[in-house]
């Protein structure tokens, strides 16, 4: 029989939460997850989280949007429906490039924004029909929660109490 438990510590203030994170780091106790109602400045560094690759994904999505803009403008103006505008035929896309900067920029922003939203939802398993991952709904309003997966429940509970926790919950893993 496994003695591993999940311990939740609920804090009322983000300063108390940060002090708790620092105390657990000093003791070498691993924090599994932290749930907050809003971004807490410095929490990612205190938890030792690595830099995400989300900016790399945004750059790739932006390149995709610009590529669509270039391809679409070339196809329409030079291949599908070339027009003689003001006595100046559209021989090459490069000659008419300045006219396409705005649509390419708009397609870049459109593709980046929409694909980043989809990436965020899929990466965080928040797609339609996905089960809720939040262990306490109060963390979406005004509470802060630390989650531990541990065999040493008593030392975690003691340190939570020392750091000003409001409520402690223990569940089987």
């Amino acid at each position: 029989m496994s003695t591993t438990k999940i311990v939740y510590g609920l804090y009322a203030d983000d300063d108390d939460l940060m002090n708790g994170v620092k105390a657990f780091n000093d003791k070498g106790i691993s924090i599994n997850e932290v749930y907050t109602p809003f971004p807490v400045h410095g929490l990612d560094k205190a938890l030792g989280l690595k830099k995400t690759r989300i900016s790399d994904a945004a750059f790739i999505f932006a390149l995709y949007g610009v590529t669509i803009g270039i391809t679409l403008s070339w196809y329409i103006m030079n291949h599908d429906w070339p027009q003689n505008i003001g006595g100046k035929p559209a021989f090459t896309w490069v000659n008419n490039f300045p006219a396409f900067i705005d649509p390419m920029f708009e397609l870049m922003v459109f593709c980046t924004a929409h694909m980043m939203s989809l990436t965020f939802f899929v990466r965080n398993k928040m797609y339609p029909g996905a089960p809720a991952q939040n262990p306490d709904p109060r963390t979406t309003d005004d509470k802060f929660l630390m989650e531990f997966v541990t065999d040493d429940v008593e030392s975690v509970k003691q340190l939570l109490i020392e750091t000003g926790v409001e409520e402690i919950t223990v569940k089987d893993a």
Side-chain angles (χ1 to χ4, degrees):
M1 182 168 122
S2 176
T3 60
T4 304
K5 304 279 186 187
I6 299 176
V7 180
Y8 298 111
L10 196 68
Y11 290 91
D13 186 52
D14 58 336
D15 291 329
D16 292 338
L17 174 77
M18 287 300 292
N19 292 335
V21 169
K22 289 175 187 170
F24 280 98
N25 285 342
D26 291 343
K27 294 281 186 181
I29 298 173
S30 175
I31 300 169
N32 189 45
E33 186 65 78
V34 176
Y35 298 90
T36 63
F38 54 82
V40 177
H41 181 70
L43 182 61
D44 52 346
K45 288 182 183 172
L47 291 171
L49 299 177
K50 296 183 289 184
K51 180 187 174 298
T52 66
R53 296 182 309 241
I54 199 84
S55 58
D56 299 338
F59 180 72
I60 291 168
F61 298 151
L63 284 179
Y64 177 72
V66 169
T67 302
I68 289 176
I70 290 170
T71 305
L72 190 64
S73 62
W74 169 82
Y75 179 75
I76 291 170
M77 292 299 290
N78 296 102
H79 183 72
D80 184 46
W81 195 261
Q83 295 183 18
N84 187 341
I85 301 171
K88 299 175 185 171
F91 290 121
T92 65
W93 179 84
V94 175
N95 292 339
N96 297 311
F97 171 72
F100 304 126
I101 291 175
D102 289 342
M104 286 188 303
F105 174 78
E106 294 299 329
L107 276 168
M108 176 187 71
V109 171
F110 179 83
C111 289
T112 304
H114 285 79
M115 294 172 102
M116 287 297 292
S117 297
L118 292 173
T119 301
F120 174 80
F121 287 128
V122 170
R123 177 68 180 95
N124 292 306
K125 299 179 182 129
M126 294 173 61
Y127 41 84
Q133 298 174 5
N134 192 352
D136 193 329
R138 293 177 289 179
T139 60
T140 61
D141 292 329
D142 61 349
K143 302 295 181 192
F144 303 85
L145 186 126
M146 278 201 293
E147 177 184 83
F148 303 90
V149 178
T150 183
D151 294 330
D152 191 10
V153 175
E154 290 308 314
S155 64
V156 170
K157 285 171 68 173
Q158 184 61 37
L159 195 51
L160 282 170
I161 292 168
E162 290 173 11
T163 58
V165 75
E166 192 174 86
E167 180 181 317
I168 298 173
T169 308
V170 179
K171 294 183 180 178
D172 290 327

